[in-house]
Amino acid sequence: MNTWAIRQVAEKIKASTRVVVLTGAGISQESGVPTFRGADGLWKNFRAEDLATPEAFDRDPLLVWQWYDWRRSLIKLLKPNAGHYALVELEKKAEDFTLITQNVDGLHKAAGSRNPIEMHGTLWRVRCLQCKKSFENKEVPIQIPPKCTTCGGLLRPDVVWFGEALDEKILHAIYTCLQRVEVMLIVGTSAIVQPAASFGLVAKRAGAFVTELNRSRTAQSSLFDCSIQGKAGELLPQLVEHIGP
Ligand code: OAD
């Protein structure tokens, strides 16, 4: 069943020039990164309101930094998996390729993806609350609370928290490519958090062939052209193999 579906998607990709892939926490699960809503998901054990909102950071920056430092320490030891590497290969095959990720773990870049749109930011940058500058920072452990080397202000993780707006330029770039895409893959996301949850539907309405690759069915599975259940680290390499040279 999966092989037939994968072959069908591979044919669609071969016949098209513009491909978009949206990834979520599921693509990094096989690397050992906890997802958010799975059985071992972060939001099963922690409250987003205490750790991933601007109000939480105002209230207790040390607690929020301790949580981010823990995530950075965990993820620094992890490596991209076969799913991340398959997307690097797919990028080489497609004439016009855009990778959008909700993940902040940096594993697409570590695998070699050229210019992933990290729409929720990255764990590996920090931003000064005072002078607003953003810097790369890969220190593990990070000195808590981290201070800006330019102005001495308090640094925060350069990620998008609940209740915060996404960067306008990033959103504009995403919606522009969703209007033009021919084939879209939605990989390892529960498709619950907006605006990413609507990207597949926007692309579909604009005429794209949209495929979901996920270990389980999601609330949106029946809305797409194709929904394939399995692990991203197995399905994506198979897809790339079917596309061929
Ligand atoms: P979720 O944890 O909500 O969903 C992960 C999805 O990956 C689920 O649908 C799983 O079935 C699927 N999955 C798990 N392992 C997989 C595997 N090996 N192969 C394929 N699929 C697998 O994570 P996201 O949808 O990414 O936002 O969550 C979206 C956003 O919610 C995150 O970016 C984060 C979070 O709160 C912010 O922090 C702003």
Side-chain angles (χ1 to χ4, degrees):
M1 164 61 190
N2 272 356
T3 310
W4 179 83
I6 285 172
R7 210 169 270 159
Q8 187 196 14
V9 180
E11 289 307 319
K12 291 278 180 193
I13 291 177
K14 272 169 38 179
S16 66
T17 43
R18 291 188 289 275
V19 176
V20 171
V21 180
L22 169 69
T23 63
I27 193 161
S28 296
Q29 184 268 334
E30 289 157 80
S31 292
V33 181
T35 64
F36 291 95
R37 296 175 184 81
D40 62 341
L42 290 175
W43 298 148
K44 291 268 153 61
N45 299 308
F46 301 98
R47 279 162 38 99
E49 304 89 297
D50 295 337
L51 299 164
T53 65
E55 293 76 20
F57 192 70
D58 279 348
R59 225 172 18 242
D60 196 344
L62 298 191
L63 175 75
V64 172
W65 263 119
Q66 278 159 5
W67 189 64
Y68 275 90
D69 189 42
W70 168 73
R71 286 176 69 196
R72 284 161 55 112
S73 313
L74 172 78
I75 291 169
K76 190 144 192 194
L77 302 173
L78 304 178
K79 303 259 181 300
N81 65 59
H84 296 104
Y85 288 117
L87 292 181
V88 177
E89 291 311 306
L90 186 57
E91 178 166 15
K92 293 180 193 155
K93 292 175 194 292
E95 215 173 293
D96 182 335
F97 179 86
T98 306
L99 173 58
I100 305 164
T101 187
Q102 298 167 86
N103 300 344
V104 293
D105 56 33
L107 290 179
H108 284 301
K109 279 189 179 158
S113 283
R114 275 195 296 159
N115 197 16
I117 300 178
E118 295 176 317
M119 61 176 284
H120 289 165
T122 168
L123 288 177
W124 307 113
R125 291 189 78 80
V126 292
R127 190 166 83 234
C128 178
L129 290 183
Q130 203 162 285
C131 70
K132 313 293 178 210
K133 280 191 187 136
S134 148
F135 311 87
E136 184 177 271
N137 179 308
K138 295 191 169 174
E139 266 169 63
V140 167
I142 193 165
Q143 197 179 343
I144 296 177
K147 292 288 174 62
C148 178
T149 47
T150 309
C151 75
L154 178 63
L155 297 172
R156 59 162 280 177
D158 200 1
V159 298
V160 178
W161 281 325
F162 286 100
E164 292 187 313
L166 266 68
D167 183 287
E168 218 174 285
K169 281 195 197 122
I170 289 183
L171 272 182
H172 181 75
I174 291 173
Y175 283 110
T176 303
C177 83
L178 293 178
Q179 291 304 326
R180 305 168 63 238
V181 58
E182 291 165 86
V183 179
M184 179 168 185
L185 305 179
I186 300 179
V187 184
T189 176
S190 55
I192 285 175
V193 175
Q194 294 292 357
S198 65
F199 291 169
L201 303 174
V202 172
K204 182 143 176 59
R205 202 172 308 139
F209 182 88
V210 182
T211 297
E212 177 184 68
L213 304 173
N214 196 304
R215 211 167 56 176
S216 323
R217 284 184 71 79
T218 71
Q220 294 193 345
S221 300
S222 60
L223 305 176
F224 298 131
D225 298 289
C226 185
S227 168
I228 306 177
Q229 274 77 61
K231 292 182 175 179
E234 294 170 6
L235 296 177
L236 287 169
Q238 286 169 31
L239 176 64
V240 167
E241 199 186 318
H242 281 292
I243 295 169

